[in-house]
Amino acid sequence: VTGATKTGDFDSSTIVLTGANEAYSAFILNGNPLLNNELIHIGYRSYKVTLGENSISLAKQDKVMLYGGSEHFHETNSGIAETSTAAALAPMAANLGLKTVRLDVEFSSLFDVLEGDVLRVNKAYQLKVQGVIDELKANGGVDEFLAVFWTIQPYGGYTGGTDLPWARHTAPTPESEEYLRWLRINGEAARICASLFPDINGYETWNEPEILNGTLVKQTGENWTVAEKARILTDLMYYYNAGIKASNPNAKLTTPSLCCSQQVVEGSFAVTSQDFLKALYAAIADDTPVYGYSEVDTNANNYFQVINIHPYTIYKTTVENWTDFVEGFHDIAVLNNDSGTETWITEFGYNNSV
């Protein structure tokens, strides 16, 4: 289960299942031990827990999977504490039997953008990413990886590259020359990334775009409308997907991870997460081609193959309601003739303050 990696880190407001087996007995739902120390499997293939005396499935296996572990490693994200390393997570992964781990790959660190928009690989950062993968495979037993494209654009500067006018969480104005350049650079970055790291099986487009004031905003700092943001992200996914598949046809691209807001909150969320997913499907289904292309493509599989969600339990506090909510994302896919698309839970934790 994702969210953190330290064992025994529980406070009075939030409980996240983490680390080694002794943590399970402390994981409580509505006054009942959620796991009762009985873990059948957590990871890519199947999972089941015990609630009191009733054995339940958190979500039907043909609809939802619980992605194994999630960590922002110091090696691949310098803003993360030095104690958060692959070497620290590996024994926990081995103890849990985790087979899947989510990690960062920052384009801003992996590439310099040179004249003519040629991308030069930063070898030092490439080796750091590969080192994390190698450590988790060798000492953690992990065999599948999901990479978060944590920054959505490469920008030059490490060794004299040409600076591009895009801060970490912004995008150029759609339907502009700079916007097309941005999309093409991203697609090429995805292609190179997929060729550099064949052990990475999945890629995540963005993290929690429903959040206002800081995630995917205009260069002025103002917020895009929901429809504008959905259009930008579907364009971006199309270029990402084409680049990834050119290097690794078997890799999967996920939607931006949805933080599972269930209500509109002024200043925080302009839309619920399920409505944001609907907006992504609407952007794909309309008669506007992806920017830079002449033909309309309404096949969602050419944009993403996985719906990516973070269903923290801050609003839905019972297992039954939580499960219904999680499966609701799959139901939206079905309504959009996309029933074959998987749903992955890549962050999750239980909040007992509500």
Side-chain angles (χ1 to χ4, degrees), residues 95-346:
N95 199 13
L96 277 169
L98 295 182
K99 298 300 179 184
T100 54
V101 166
R102 175 178 178 247
L103 70 156
D104 298 325
V105 173
E106 294 197 335
F107 280 177
S108 58
S109 298
L110 184 58
F111 298 109
D112 290 334
V113 183
L114 306 181
E115 295 290 345
D117 291 343
V118 173
L119 298 183
R120 178 173 56 195
V121 175
N122 183 326
K123 294 293 185 181
Y125 185 80
Q126 177 189 352
L127 291 175
K128 288 181 179 180
V129 174
Q130 190 61 52
V132 168
I133 293 170
D134 292 344
E135 173 72 24
L136 293 172
K137 288 179 66 176
N139 298 316
V142 177
D143 58 21
E144 299 196 23
F145 297 87
L146 172 68
V148 183
F149 289 157
W150 192 251
T151 55
I152 63 170
Q153 70 286 314
Y155 54 93
Y158 279 94
T159 53
T162 302
D163 288 334
L164 301 180
W166 312 318
R168 175 170 179 164
H169 293 310
T170 67
T173 302
E175 300 187 10
S176 66
E177 182 177 343
E178 198 72 357
Y179 181 68
L180 181 58
R181 181 187 179 203
W182 176 77
L183 290 171
R184 287 173 172 169
I185 289 176
N186 273 282
E188 177 64 2
R191 183 193 68 79
I192 296 172
C193 186
S195 69
L196 291 175
F197 306 112
D199 292 309
I200 296 178
N201 315 94
Y203 294 88
E204 178 180 319
T205 303
W206 184 261
N207 186 68
E208 300 183 350
E210 316 98 300
I211 300 175
L212 297 174
N213 304 320
T215 62
L216 191 55
V217 296
K218 299 179 182 180
Q219 291 174 300
T220 61
E222 298 172 290
N223 292 301
W224 302 103
T225 67
V226 172
E228 288 171 334
K229 190 178 287 191
R231 169 58 63 191
I232 291 168
L233 287 168
T234 51
D235 283 351
L236 184 62
M237 284 190 288
Y238 200 81
Y239 279 82
Y240 272 169
N241 188 64
I244 291 166
K245 294 297 194 292
S247 294
N248 186 352
N250 295 320
K252 294 181 178 180
L253 180 66
T254 82
T255 65
S257 54
L258 303 174
C259 62
C260 291
S261 59
Q262 297 172 45
Q263 59 193 39
V264 173
V265 179
E266 184 176 356
S268 298
F269 302 104
V271 65
T272 69
S273 297
Q274 290 188 353
D275 283 343
F276 193 86
L277 179 60
K278 293 175 184 177
L280 292 177
Y281 274 115
I284 293 170
D286 73 14
D287 59 359
T288 304
V290 170
Y291 196 68
Y293 287 82
S294 58
E295 300 294 328
V296 174
D297 189 344
T298 59
N299 182 357
N301 191 63
N302 291 331
Y303 296 79
F304 60 86
Q305 296 79 53
V306 177
I307 296 169
N308 187 337
I309 61 174
H310 295 169
Y312 292 100
T313 62
I314 189 168
Y315 300 114
K316 297 292 186 182
T317 55
T318 69
V319 169
E320 292 78 8
N321 289 343
W322 180 87
T323 302
D324 290 343
F325 175 70
V326 168
E327 293 187 352
F329 289 90
H330 176 78
D331 294 340
I332 293 169
V334 172
L335 290 173
N336 285 276
N337 300 312
D338 195 26
S339 60
T341 293
E342 298 175 299
T343 302
W344 292 0
I345 297 170
T346 60

